[in-house]
Amino acid sequence: MYQAAIAWETNSPLSIEEVKVEPPKAEEVHIKMASSGICGSADHVLKGLLPLNFPLIPGHEGAEIVESIGEGVSSVKPGDKVLTLVVPQRRECSSCLHPRGNFCEKRDILPSSGLILDGTSGFTCKGEKIYNSFHTSTFTKHTAMPEIAVAKIDDAAPLGKVRLISCEVPTGYRAAVHSARVTPGSTCVVFGLGGVGSAIVMGCKASGASRIIGVDINEEKFPRGRALRVTDCLNPRNLKKPVQQVVVEMTGFGVDFAFEAIRLVDTMIAAWDSCHLNYGVCLIVGLAPSNSQLSLDTVKVISGRTLKGVCLGDYKTRDCIPQLVTDYLQKKINVDPLVTHQLPFHQPHKAFELYHTGKT
């Protein structure tokens, strides 16, 4: 039996419970969790804004150590350090085999069943099935998950820091560097200066953007944004005009690249409207609540600007995410500023309180 944080129903506090974890079956690994992060998508799950089955163990951004492996596992061994992958890579489906694809058909997101590949959840508590979160429940001290949902990383990696590289960093940093291919001298706007938005800012700066505009209603995030080289910070609530109009006026024609990392339809439209009418590129990084609809002016679509959805920076996860860890160890990227708090395992409620109050 191992400890885990369980959400018994939507909008309920997490409860630390003793859970039974099934031993690893064929093509599964049993891991000991070292560190887990909180992603905005996990908050959506707990609020019922994304359709998952309850009760469940949330979390998908984790760093851990392999304890044992099931039959047929070849990419990791006991003692290896690994990161969880919310989008796995089996290397067999149409997405995995396509040069630009990464949305593996063996994923358990959009939609999510709460089950791992063998059709079980992998957890029970008090005789009741406890559902899994995207194959990768991380709010637990031990878990078993598919081999294709973990990536082996360098043995020297500090697990308390590099856990962000399993989701937050590739989602944000790579969206700018790889998916958008931000160009030197370009102008960018980033909607949302939380963890993912800050990683986007880092990617824009690394790509040579000359101007980065940050948009957030929480002005406590502006000093950190400026430290990451945001040149202008806007609070839409303090503006007399729609923020997209202000961005267009500030830049003369609209930005070259716009990123939405708030997960709201209204800010997605604002990001789209902030782009240059002809060659602007708008990337939707945030995952909006289920059943949300995005409505655009068709005249503005035909003018040439681009709207693109992006998941984990279009990374082929098992192939590419370990390299990001190596880049961190070689000081090519620095994710340390993205870690604002570290709490013990038994305080997930405190972590979410900090998240909800905008302190992270």
Side-chain angles (χ1 to χ4, degrees):
M1 302 288 283
Y2 303 103
Q3 284 190 322
I6 297 178
W8 289 99
E9 57 187 10
T10 58
N11 294 302
S12 65
L14 293 171
S15 175
I16 304 298
E17 306 278 4
E18 294 288 325
V19 301
K20 179 181 179 182
V21 179
E22 294 296 327
K25 305 179 186 70
E27 299 183 345
E28 291 180 359
V29 297
H30 185 194
I31 57 178
K32 179 180 180 180
M33 196 64 57
S35 180
S36 176
I38 288 181
C39 178
S41 299
D43 186 57
H44 271 19
V45 167
L46 296 178
K47 291 178 178 177
L49 299 176
L50 294 176
L52 271 76
N53 293 314
F54 284 76
L56 64 77
I57 298 173
H60 59 266
E61 184 178 79
E64 50 276 318
I65 297 173
V66 175
E67 290 211 322
S68 61
I69 60 176
E71 181 182 353
V73 172
S74 59
S75 64
V76 296
K77 65 183 185 302
D80 283 346
K81 291 182 177 181
V82 295
L83 295 182
T84 55
L85 305 174
V86 67
V87 176
Q89 185 188 359
R90 191 176 180 85
R91 303 181 177 125
E92 293 179 358
C93 70
S94 59
S95 292
C96 287
L97 295 176
H98 193 281
R100 296 192 302 273
N102 77 330
F103 210 51
C104 180
E105 292 176 5
K106 292 298 182 179
R107 69 190 186 278
D108 194 45
I109 55 173
L110 304 175
S112 176
S113 67
L115 305 176
I116 51 181
L117 295 178
D118 68 351
T120 69
S121 68
F123 300 110
T124 55
C125 179
K126 302 174 183 177
E128 185 173 353
K129 176 193 293 185
I130 306 298
Y131 286 97
N132 208 291
S133 180
F134 310 139
H135 293 329
T136 57
S137 290
T138 58
F139 286 16
T140 175
K141 290 191 173 181
H142 291 259
T143 183
M145 60 180 61
E147 177 189 14
I148 63 173
V150 298
K152 183 183 183 304
I153 59 173
D154 194 299
D155 290 338
L159 297 181
K161 297 292 181 66
V162 300
R163 63 148 187 270
L164 297 176
I165 295 176
S166 77
C167 180
E168 178 181 315
V169 173
T171 297
Y173 181 85
R174 187 72 171 180
V177 172
H178 181 252
S179 303
R181 299 190 185 278
V182 169
T183 52
S186 60
T187 57
C188 303
V189 62
V190 180
F191 284 77
L193 293 177
V196 170
S198 296
I200 293 171
V201 170
M202 292 168 58
C204 292
K205 183 62 180 178
S207 299
S210 62
R211 188 175 192 181
I212 305 170
I213 302 169
V215 179
D216 205 298
I217 60 173
N218 182 0
E219 295 190 12
E220 290 186 22
K221 296 182 179 180
F222 290 173
R224 180 175 296 274
R226 292 190 179 98
L228 294 173
R229 301 297 186 266
V230 171
T231 50
D232 307 273
C233 294
L234 300 176
N235 181 347
R237 293 178 176 174
N238 294 339
L239 303 175
K240 296 181 179 180
K241 302 175 183 178
V243 64
Q244 55 264 50
Q245 184 177 340
V246 172
V247 171
V248 170
E249 291 175 357
M250 289 172 64
T251 56
F253 306 98
V255 296
D256 300 303
F257 301 96
F259 301 86
E260 199 282 344
I262 299 177
R263 307 176 181 86
L264 297 175
V265 170
D266 287 348
T267 47
M268 292 176 182
I269 293 173
W272 167 258
D273 287 338
S274 298
C275 288
H276 190 283
L277 190 65
N278 179 221
Y279 52 76
V281 179
C282 177
L283 280 88
I284 305 301
V285 182
L287 178 59
S290 179
N291 299 320
S292 300
Q293 298 291 319
L294 189 61
S295 179
L296 302 175
D297 184 339
T298 55
V299 173
K300 294 181 180 178
V301 174
I302 203 171
S303 65
R305 74 175 80 175
T306 301
L307 178 68
K308 176 177 171 57
V310 55
C311 179
L312 285 175
D314 294 328
Y315 261 136
K316 291 186 181 294
T317 50
R318 292 170 73 197
D319 292 345
C320 300
I321 282 182
Q323 183 59 49
L324 261 183
V325 175
T326 301
D327 289 346
Y328 168 77
L329 294 174
Q330 295 176 350
K331 302 187 184 306
K332 295 179 180 178
I333 61 170
N334 181 19
V335 304
D336 293 355
L338 301 177
V339 180
T340 56
H341 300 78
Q342 295 196 45
L343 298 170
F345 171 80
H346 65 274
Q347 293 185 358
H349 58 286
K350 177 65 174 178
F352 276 100
E353 285 175 8
L354 289 165
Y355 174 83
H356 291 143
T357 56
K359 302 295 184 182
T360 59

